[in-house]
Amino acid sequence: MSARNQVNAAGRKPKLGQNFLVDPQAARRIVDALGDIGNSVVIEIGPGRGALTKTLAQRAGRLVAVEFDRVLAEQLHEDIAGKPNVKIVQGNFLDISLSAFLTSRGAGTSERAKVVGNIPYYITSDILLRLFEQQESVDTIVVMVQREVADRVVAEPGSRDYGLLTVTAQLFADVERLFTLPPDAFRPPPQVHSSVLRLRIAPKAQALGVDSREFLTFCKFAFAQKRKTLFNNLRGKFSSDETRNVLISAHVRSDVRAEALSVKQLAEIYRNLRA
């Protein structure tokens, strides 16, 4: 699995490193999860040595593979040479504008990209947030992440993994875990299992009556210290009486923790406090 630390073409590990997917069946399953991509723009994050890229190049209407490592990007460019529907971009995905790729294709404003990738563990949240920021340009996201991160994304209220990342993902998308891969699906094998998630963009802020940015800022306060109750976490932002009254009106006990509440319940508390 990616740690966004790349291995060069000669096989030497520089100061950065990457665990490359080597299971061809798993690669096919990941690409299959995108659905029919024959007429789609597909954005691949961190293609590495191209385990997904070659299959994507055969199926996608247009493929843009964004690789951080210069050596790997050059190698991919050589491997995919002659494919007019493929573009290899060397750069940081967090700096990429997806709408620019759609516009450069001459696509209509309603067209949205499908995104796929083997996501670096330590910037999973950053990449998901970047994709959610560009939700108008995204249709479906299929990503492979550390299993423990996937647990947090798909968690249910009341579970130990439920938190800010869960709420953020579920505010913007319908999320499902597809399958999990063992370390030996990669070379070199990581010390963790990896899970593949599919997120179908489905923004819920309007239906919940919230502004997504302001609501997530509120949620940062709500989940600030997991050992503290929601009431105590919010007291740093709102008055005690105000917070207590809003919790009562929402039929929420004052000793409840934020991880016990659904996105809908958190949105109700946010709306009442804001009002």
Side-chain angles (χ1 to χ4, degrees):
M1 168 64 74
S2 287
R4 182 45 66 195
N5 302 320
Q6 313 293 354
V7 178
N8 66 19
R12 293 183 295 109
K13 270 194 175 182
K15 60 183 179 180
L16 302 175
Q18 186 176 17
N19 305 91
F20 297 98
L21 179 66
V22 294
D23 184 337
Q25 182 179 3
R28 286 193 296 271
R29 292 177 69 187
I30 292 170
V31 176
D32 288 345
L34 290 170
D36 182 4
I37 56 175
N39 294 312
S40 301
V41 177
V42 177
I43 312 295
E44 184 182 7
I45 305 171
R49 290 179 176 165
L52 303 178
T53 314
K54 296 178 179 65
T55 302
L56 290 168
Q58 294 172 354
R59 299 189 191 181
R62 182 167 183 250
L63 170 64
V64 180
V66 183
E67 174 54 55
F68 182 78
D69 185 88
R70 180 184 57 81
V71 174
L72 289 174
E74 291 175 355
Q75 185 62 52
L76 280 170
H77 192 273
E78 293 179 11
D79 293 343
I80 309 296
K83 289 279 188 181
N85 64 321
V86 180
K87 180 181 180 65
I88 307 297
V89 176
Q90 191 271 312
N92 187 339
F93 179 79
L94 297 176
D95 299 328
I96 296 297
S97 168
L98 300 185
S99 61
F101 291 133
L102 296 173
T103 304
S104 65
R105 189 191 186 199
T109 55
S110 62
E111 183 167 5
R112 297 187 294 168
K114 295 179 184 289
V115 179
V116 63
N118 184 5
I119 303 301
Y121 293 157
Y122 66 91
I123 56 170
T124 297
S125 295
D126 291 339
I127 287 179
L128 288 178
L129 286 173
R130 180 63 177 148
L131 289 169
F132 295 149
E133 286 174 358
Q134 303 183 78
Q135 59 184 281
E136 295 85 359
S137 300
V138 182
D139 173 70
T140 303
I141 304 166
V142 176
V143 289
M144 183 155 48
V145 300
Q146 183 176 333
R147 181 172 60 182
E148 287 73 16
V149 176
D151 291 343
R152 291 165 55 203
V153 174
V154 303
E156 296 291 335
S159 69
R160 63 172 187 164
D161 294 312
Y162 187 83
L164 182 60
L165 180 61
T166 319
V167 172
T168 303
Q170 295 180 8
L171 181 66
F172 290 101
D174 295 331
V175 184
E176 56 185 323
R177 190 204 304 261
L178 300 182
F179 56 91
T180 297
L181 294 174
D184 61 12
F186 305 88
R187 291 292 182 275
Q191 297 181 339
V192 296
H193 283 63
S194 304
S195 291
V196 176
L197 301 176
R198 178 164 57 200
L199 300 90
R200 301 184 190 276
I201 295 298
K204 302 173 183 67
Q206 184 173 356
L208 292 170
V210 301
D211 175 88
S212 58
R213 284 183 178 274
E214 292 181 3
F215 176 58
L216 290 178
T217 298
F218 162 80
C219 288
K220 288 179 182 178
F221 283 100
F223 288 97
Q225 298 185 55
K226 296 198 73 172
R227 291 181 177 272
K228 285 190 174 183
T229 65
L230 175 64
F231 175 78
N232 284 332
N233 276 333
L234 293 180
R235 281 200 305 173
K237 180 69 174 177
F238 306 96
S239 73
S240 296
D241 289 343
E242 183 181 24
T243 303
R244 185 178 292 106
N245 290 335
V246 165
L247 293 180
I248 291 173
S249 67
H251 305 289
V252 173
R253 289 168 38 182
S254 61
D255 63 349
V256 76
R257 288 182 170 84
E259 57 263 32
L261 303 178
S262 68
V263 177
K264 184 177 180 180
Q265 289 174 303
L266 288 166
E268 179 184 358
I269 294 169
Y270 159 79
R271 289 196 309 270
N272 291 338
L273 282 172
R274 188 170 183 271

